[in-house]
Amino acid sequence: MAIRLGDTAPDFTADTTEGRINFHQWLGDSWGILFSHPKDFTPVCTTELGAFSKAKPEFDKRNTKLIGLSVDSVESHKDWAGDIEDTQGSALNFPIIGDEDHQVADLYDMIHPNANDTLTVRSVFIIGPDKKVKLTLTYPASTGRNVDEILRVLDSLQLTSQYQVSTPVNWTDGGEVIIAPAISDEEAETKFPKGFKTLRPYLRMTPQPNK
Ligand code: BEZ
């Protein structure tokens, strides 16, 4: 069954390029991003894995661990790593799961048979420190993901887990946010001391509270 927002991220034990891991133990108290790519030694995947490796310091700053997956073997991932470093200028610096038996791909519904009946699609699962799924994304093999967008949604998820706000269209870190409609104006005055603008009773904008 498909994994839905708010579900507990299914736990598993699997071999990776950094040894055998138990997923929940490996996550510890961190946020986590589990993402699949269709196949090793393919062009778009090579660019994605290079870009995620390059951005790892940004994920570290956000207390977020990355882990990749495809239905290739750990040996194949390790062989491919040289190509990623040579062509993308960034060495692989997080584990990739070898999922030849589709154990994890099936658990996370990463194979979409009407797209391809053997390869994983480009799935992204963002998991909170409580092990609940906070966000899912699915891209086809032909479309590479955008690392900046994944960092942007991570910023929003982390902010909105701490403050009673939501983030508007095209928000990026540092932009104005929306006060939760359930909060009264009186409460908002104490919770958001930088002030707020009321555009409609349900649409009140305030500067990002943690900046
Ligand atoms: C790619 O990464 O370019 C790719 C992988 C699998 C199928 C098609 C394209």
Side-chain angles (χ1 to χ4, degrees):
M1 196 173 106
I3 293 178
R4 295 174 177 174
L5 302 188
D7 290 355
T8 297
D11 197 16
F12 57 83
T13 298
D15 291 317
T16 80
T17 49
E18 298 185 8
R20 197 160 175 78
I21 65 150
N22 170 263
F23 186 49
H24 282 193
Q25 263 176 22
W26 175 82
L27 283 170
D29 295 329
S30 301
W31 287 70
I33 301 185
L34 169 65
F35 67 101
S36 55
H37 64 271
K39 197 160 180 52
D40 295 353
F41 298 101
T42 54
V44 176
C45 300
T46 302
T47 62
E48 286 191 321
L49 275 281
F52 277 106
S53 295
K54 203 169 284 173
K56 182 159 179 295
E58 290 300 319
F59 290 101
D60 290 343
K61 272 191 224 162
R62 292 161 174 81
N63 186 32
T64 301
K65 293 183 173 180
L66 296 170
I67 188 163
L69 173 147
S70 78
V71 297
D72 301 287
S73 66
V74 166
E75 290 66 37
S76 164
H77 295 329
K78 287 182 175 170
D79 289 345
W80 181 38
D83 289 356
I84 295 169
E85 184 169 6
D86 288 351
T87 64
Q88 306 304 307
S90 191
L92 199 56
N93 51 16
F94 54 86
I96 309 286
I97 298 164
D99 197 38
E100 287 172 291
D101 62 2
H102 301 186
Q103 181 216 170
V104 181
D106 287 345
L107 204 53
Y108 278 81
D109 201 27
M110 291 167 163
I111 295 176
H112 297 195
N114 291 323
N116 187 301
D117 56 6
T118 53
L119 304 180
T120 43
V121 291
R122 299 186 196 280
S123 297
V124 181
F125 296 90
I126 301 188
I127 297 155
D130 58 359
K131 311 288 184 293
K132 303 286 186 201
V133 174
K134 306 297 183 186
L135 179 128
T136 66
L137 289 169
T138 308
Y139 285 60
S142 53
T143 304
R145 285 158 284 204
N146 183 314
V147 175
D148 288 340
E149 169 60 6
I150 293 173
L151 286 166
R152 189 192 76 86
V153 293
L154 186 55
D155 284 338
S156 171
L157 292 169
Q158 293 187 340
L159 178 73
T160 59
S161 73
Q162 288 181 345
Y163 296 90
Q164 288 174 290
V165 297
S166 47
T167 59
V169 63
N170 294 337
W171 173 88
T172 53
D173 189 40
E176 282 192 319
V177 299
I178 297 168
I179 298 173
I183 297 181
S184 67
D185 282 348
E186 294 69 37
E187 266 183 286
E189 274 160 25
T190 48
K191 287 193 167 165
F192 303 101
K194 292 174 191 158
F196 58 90
K197 287 180 296 202
T198 302
L199 304 179
R200 289 288 183 275
Y202 59 85
L203 179 56
R204 293 166 299 171
M205 308 301 297
T206 190
Q208 188 170 321
N210 62 349
K211 290 281 170 183

